[in-house]
């Protein structure tokens, strides 16, 4: 089969969907020796080991819609592709029936928790998603929890939703270097959060728990937020600026992968208090670095953390505080080898093989 992948997230994102798209393409290039692939994106990357076709976007009013609904479908027909995979759960559009449509759904948060999203995102999902899923021949889901949500919200999808857990990025592993830490004069022990700063991540609960931890602990421990500023962040930053331990809280902004691996490797623990996740890549990244994980018990996170993560109800700062104390005092500490073993269960080779199997059944 000739399969096109609509890879715009490589060029216009830097968070989870970008990571997924990049890892997916690299896995298919490495493990699929049967099918032919064509990567559709906004600009060509010479380091990518698959054929690419650049269809630039423009800020000219209306061009993005014209590109998505007409230009890309025209080129896909011209290229005589057999299937199109859309990794960002928004398309593909305007294709003849002979071209199979494969849509990846990472989560349904714009529909299930609209209060945590921008109006634009909510509106697009409400207008298009039901129709996208009706026309899809194959719907990919990244966890059993996401699959459950899709089927409950859109019962007609039950027969065509397939769950494949994401793989781990092999670049994430324990390292001893402290270049980033030394450069930023980070010599104190620290708890770490990674990800976009937005309401769904439940970071005010983390700020509250950290305040209690510092009030009840003699030793100085920092809290680091590593990630870009997202949307609806006013409440978080207002809370942050008034925090009694503000001088020991660092918000780094976007961090390059090599520096993020270092942050994981030396952290007391990753704290991931999110209210809802389709998968939870930071949990897997932390485990891959041999780092302990404290995360909420919500949605898909237990599928990733398994029996080794410390779980708390996402609205309970007291439960979170108890786990922070446990980790700090090394009580019931999981062994690094067990954390790494948990991470090794998640394989991009397995993901590629499962995806190829489902696509060949279309």
């Amino acid at each position: 089969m000739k399969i096109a992948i609509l890879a715009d997230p490589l060029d216009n994102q830097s968070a989870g969907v970008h990571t997924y798209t990049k890892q997916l393409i690299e896995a298919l290039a490495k493990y699929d020796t049967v099918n032919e692939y064509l990567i559709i994106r906004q600009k060509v990357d010479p380091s990518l080991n698959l054929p690419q076709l650049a269809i630039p976007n423009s800020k000219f009013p209306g061009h993005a819609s014209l590109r998505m609904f007409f230009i890309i479908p025209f080129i896909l027909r011209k290229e005589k592709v057999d299937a199109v995979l859309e990794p960002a759960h928004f398309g593909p559009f305007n294709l003849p029936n002979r071209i199979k449509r494969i849509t990846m759904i990472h989560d349904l948060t714009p529909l299930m928790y609209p209060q945590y999203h921008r109006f634009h995102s909510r509106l697009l999902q409400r207008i298009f998603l039901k129709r996208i899923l009706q026309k899809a021949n194959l719907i990919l889901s990244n966890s059993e929890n996401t699959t459950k949500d899709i089927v409950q919200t859109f019962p007609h999808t039950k027969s065509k939703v397939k769950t494949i857990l994401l793989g781990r990025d092999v670049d994430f592993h324990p390292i001893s270097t402290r270049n980033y830490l030394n450069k930023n004069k980070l010599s104190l022990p620290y708890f770490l959060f990674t990800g976009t700063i937005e309401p769904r991540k439940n970071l005010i609960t983390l700020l509250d728990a950290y305040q209690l931890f510092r009030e009840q602990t003699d030793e100085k421990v920092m809290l680091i937020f590593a990630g870009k500023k997202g949307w609806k962040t006013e409440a978080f930053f207002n809370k942050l600026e008034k925090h009694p331990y503000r001088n020991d809280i660092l918000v780094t902004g976007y961090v390059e992968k090599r520096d993020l691996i270092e942050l994981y490797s030396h952290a007391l623990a990753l704290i991931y208090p999110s209210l809802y996740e389709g998968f939870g890549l930071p949990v897997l990244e932390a485990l891959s670095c041999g780092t302990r994980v404290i995360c909420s018990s919500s949605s898909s996170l237990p599928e990733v953390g398994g029996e080794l993560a410390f779980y708390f109800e996402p609205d309970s700062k007291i439960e979170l505080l108890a786990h922070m104390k446990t980790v700090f005092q090394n009580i019931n500490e999981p062994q690094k080898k067990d954390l790494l073993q948990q991470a090794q269960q998640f394989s991009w080779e397995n993901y590629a093989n499962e995806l190829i199997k489902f696509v060949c059944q279309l």
Side-chain angles (χ1 to χ4, degrees):
M1 295 179 70
K2 185 175 182 180
I3 304 169
I5 300 178
L6 306 183
D8 278 353
L10 294 180
D11 302 316
N12 60 21
Q13 297 193 33
S14 61
V17 180
H18 170 96
T19 300
Y20 166 77
T21 305
K22 184 175 186 293
Q23 295 286 319
L24 168 68
I25 290 171
E26 291 176 352
L28 292 173
K30 184 175 182 178
Y31 299 114
D32 189 356
T33 59
V34 176
N35 298 299
E36 176 186 357
Y37 290 92
L38 175 64
I39 309 303
I40 306 292
R41 55 186 301 185
Q42 297 177 26
K43 57 186 177 183
V44 169
D45 178 358
S47 69
L48 194 61
N49 192 27
L50 281 177
Q52 301 170 74
L53 181 58
I55 305 176
N57 208 346
S58 167
K59 294 183 179 180
F60 189 81
H63 182 267
S65 297
L66 179 67
R67 178 180 178 274
M68 179 183 297
F69 291 107
F70 298 102
I71 298 175
I72 289 178
F74 172 77
I75 290 174
L76 293 173
R77 292 193 295 270
K78 183 179 177 182
E79 291 289 331
K80 295 185 169 64
V81 301
D82 300 299
V84 180
L85 194 160
E86 213 302 315
H89 65 242
F90 200 69
F93 297 102
N94 291 340
L95 299 176
N97 290 335
R98 67 171 181 81
I99 300 178
K100 304 301 182 183
R101 304 180 186 210
I102 306 163
T103 298
M104 173 66 182
I105 300 296
H106 298 274
D107 59 63
L108 292 182
T109 52
L111 299 181
M112 299 181 66
Y113 299 93
Q115 68 273 29
Y116 300 136
H117 286 266
R118 292 167 291 191
F119 174 77
H120 177 72
S121 175
R122 302 196 307 264
L123 180 64
L124 290 177
Q125 295 289 332
R126 288 180 177 176
I127 292 174
F128 290 106
L129 188 56
K130 182 177 181 180
R131 183 66 171 164
I132 289 170
L133 297 182
Q134 284 176 337
K135 297 184 78 68
N137 300 94
L138 172 63
I139 302 167
L140 301 174
S141 162
N142 54 8
S143 67
E144 294 294 346
N145 188 77
T146 299
T147 296
K148 172 179 67 68
D149 290 341
I150 295 170
V151 173
Q152 286 181 349
T153 308
F154 303 101
H156 66 276
T157 63
K158 184 175 182 178
S159 63
K160 52 186 179 180
V161 181
K162 304 298 181 184
T163 306
I164 318 176
L165 295 177
L166 305 188
R168 68 183 181 92
D169 183 341
V170 295
D171 289 344
F172 285 85
H173 62 276
I175 60 174
S176 58
T177 57
R178 300 180 65 93
N179 298 328
Y180 180 85
L181 300 183
N182 292 337
K183 179 182 177 181
N184 290 278
K185 300 180 180 179
L186 299 173
S187 58
L188 296 171
Y190 60 89
F191 291 108
L192 175 68
F193 165 83
T194 67
T196 304
I197 295 175
E198 48 146 320
R200 177 168 56 94
K201 302 302 182 180
N202 194 27
L203 300 181
I204 289 178
T205 295
L206 175 50
L207 289 175
D208 287 340
Y210 176 67
Q211 179 177 341
L212 294 174
F213 176 84
R214 289 297 304 274
E215 289 171 351
Q216 299 175 26
T217 307
D218 292 333
E219 190 167 343
K220 198 172 184 180
V221 176
M222 292 187 67
L223 175 60
I224 298 178
F225 294 90
K228 293 178 68 174
K229 181 178 179 180
W231 46 91
K232 296 188 175 183
T233 60
E234 294 83 0
F236 169 78
F237 282 102
N238 287 339
K239 182 86 172 181
L240 175 65
E241 291 311 312
K242 297 174 183 176
H243 201 283
Y245 299 96
R246 175 65 183 92
N247 290 339
D248 297 326
I249 302 173
L250 175 64
V251 179
T252 67
Y254 175 75
V255 177
E256 295 289 344
K257 181 194 282 189
R258 63 181 180 275
D259 298 327
L260 186 60
I261 294 169
E262 188 177 300
L263 279 170
Y264 278 129
S265 295
H266 296 287
L268 290 169
L270 171 75
I271 302 180
Y272 204 65
S274 182
L275 297 169
Y276 181 95
E277 291 293 323
F279 182 79
L281 273 176
V283 172
L284 182 53
E285 291 169 352
L287 292 170
S288 298
C289 294
T291 302
R292 292 167 293 181
V293 172
I294 304 171
C295 65
S296 72
S297 57
S298 68
S299 57
S300 64
L301 295 177
E303 294 181 54
V304 185
E307 297 180 357
L308 297 179
F310 297 93
Y311 297 104
F312 64 96
E313 288 296 320
D315 61 349
S316 177
K317 61 185 177 184
I318 300 303
E319 287 184 23
L320 173 53
L321 168 66
H323 289 318
M324 294 170 73
K325 288 181 175 179
T326 295
V327 166
F328 183 67
Q329 297 165 2
N330 294 321
I331 301 172
N332 299 323
E333 180 180 6
Q335 298 297 308
K336 181 170 288 192
K337 64 179 180 61
D338 295 326
L339 297 170
L340 296 174
Q341 197 169 51
Q342 172 69 14
Q344 287 166 2
Q345 297 180 51
F346 299 86
S347 159
W348 278 109
E349 180 178 5
N350 176 71
Y351 190 97
N353 290 334
E354 286 290 298
L355 175 57
I356 294 161
K357 178 183 72 175
F358 293 138
V359 170
C360 289
Q361 294 170 355
L362 293 176

